[in-house]
Amino acid sequence: AQSVTQLGSHVSVSEGALVLLRCNYSSSVPPYLFWYVQYPNQGLQLLLKYTSAATLVKGINGFEAEFKKSETSFHLTKPSAHMSDAAEYFCAVRGYSGGGADGLTFGKGTHLIIQP
Amino acid sequence: NAGVTQTPKFQVLKTGQSMTLQCAQDMNHEYMSWYRQDPGMGLRLIHYSVGAGITDQGEVPNGYNVSRSTTEDFPLRLLSAAPSQTSVYFCASRRISLGVDGYTFGSGTRLTVV
């Protein structure tokens, strides 16, 4: 079965500081992993995805994530936070907890707060 | 391209009422799905479809019905709304033939059941 754990429901960083959002996964099939961002009152936008190619994945808006199989992790990073990065971030793995191979299983989300 | 379009954006229902949340996509995506988002819970899969005439249950299907008569549309029906169905609902789609790719999400329907 698939599951995703995002450590920290809220993360606060100063503008210009490193952003690190943590995601650990469990998957009964080769994992395909995603990070989505949700701005207030909007839908989800794909930031980046890992689909068994390069383990370091670069996405939009300067974000990147590294797939580490030994740690079952897919943490999201950005070297320098901007005020516009304030949003909710979701990590997701292919498949859902009921056993299906399609659909997505999401973590509970991390609210990123940027301090001026 | 409009992408994934959800209507309505907001809805208030009384307990026991029925309604249909609409989802339409113009990208010729075979796969369509419905999620609900609740505070502190992330998004949970309700139902999904891999093509016209084919639907299946996700993680939280109880209280919801779906059908897929065309590739473009995937409506979600609440037959007898309950307060526990107060949530934000997202429709998402993707092209199966392109392998695993990111899903395109609609902007959501915020439903309140009183």
Side-chain angles (χ1 to χ4, degrees), chain A residues 32 38 49 96 102 104, chain B residues 35 37 57 94 100-101 103:
Chain A
Y32 291 167
Q38 184 181 33
K49 62 184 179 184
Y96 73 95
D102 214 321
L104 294 171
Chain B
Y35 291 84
Q37 182 181 27
Q57 297 181 348
R94 75 172 183 90
V100 179
D101 203 346
Y103 294 68

Side-chain angles (χ1 to χ4, degrees), chain A residues 73-113:
Chain A
S73 69
F74 190 56
H75 300 332
L76 181 71
T77 61
K78 182 174 181 178
S80 177
H82 294 169
M83 296 299 292
S84 60
D85 294 327
E88 191 84 14
Y89 291 80
F90 293 95
C91 181
V93 65
R94 180 185 69 163
Y96 73 95
S97 61
D102 214 321
L104 294 171
T105 295
F106 285 85
K108 294 183 178 182
T110 297
H111 186 63
L112 178 62
I113 301 164

Side-chain angles (χ1 to χ4, degrees), chain A residues 42-92:
Chain A
Q42 295 188 24
L44 278 72
Q45 179 182 2
L46 180 66
L47 273 178
L48 49 79
K49 62 184 179 184
Y50 166 77
T51 57
S52 75
T55 57
L56 182 62
V57 180
K58 295 187 182 298
I60 63 172
N61 300 339
F63 285 93
E64 64 181 35
E66 185 173 9
F67 172 71
K68 292 186 177 180
K69 184 177 180 179
S70 61
E71 299 177 6
T72 60
S73 69
F74 190 56
H75 300 332
L76 181 71
T77 61
K78 182 174 181 178
S80 177
H82 294 169
M83 296 299 292
S84 60
D85 294 327
E88 191 84 14
Y89 291 80
F90 293 95
C91 181

Side-chain angles (χ1 to χ4, degrees), chain B residues 26-101:
Chain B
D26 61 357
M27 299 170 286
N28 203 30
H29 286 176
E30 301 95 333
Y31 178 92
M32 296 184 74
S33 55
W34 279 100
Y35 291 84
R36 60 176 289 172
Q37 182 181 27
D38 301 293
M41 298 291 291
L43 282 80
R44 292 178 292 170
L45 182 64
I46 304 172
H47 285 287
Y48 66 96
S49 169
V50 297
I54 306 171
T55 64
D56 207 345
Q57 297 181 348
E59 182 182 358
V60 288
N62 293 340
Y64 307 95
N65 283 346
V66 292
S67 60
R68 184 96 179 269
S69 57
T70 67
T71 300
E72 294 78 19
D73 300 297
F74 190 46
L76 179 71
R77 297 184 183 86
L78 285 70
L79 298 180
S80 179
S84 61
Q85 294 178 304
T86 293
S87 187
V88 182
Y89 293 84
F90 288 99
C91 180
S93 70
R94 75 172 183 90
R95 178 76 69 87
I96 295 178
S97 57
L98 289 179
V100 179
D101 203 346

Side-chain angles (χ1 to χ4, degrees), chain B residues 99-110:
Chain B
V100 179
D101 203 346
Y103 294 68
T104 300
F105 281 81
S107 58
T109 294
R110 187 175 297 272

Side-chain angles (χ1 to χ4, degrees), chain B residues 13-27:
Chain B
L13 286 179
K14 294 182 179 179
T15 298
Q17 285 185 317
S18 64
M19 80 159 295
T20 299
L21 280 64
Q22 301 291 345
C23 175
Q25 52 89 13
D26 61 357
M27 299 170 286

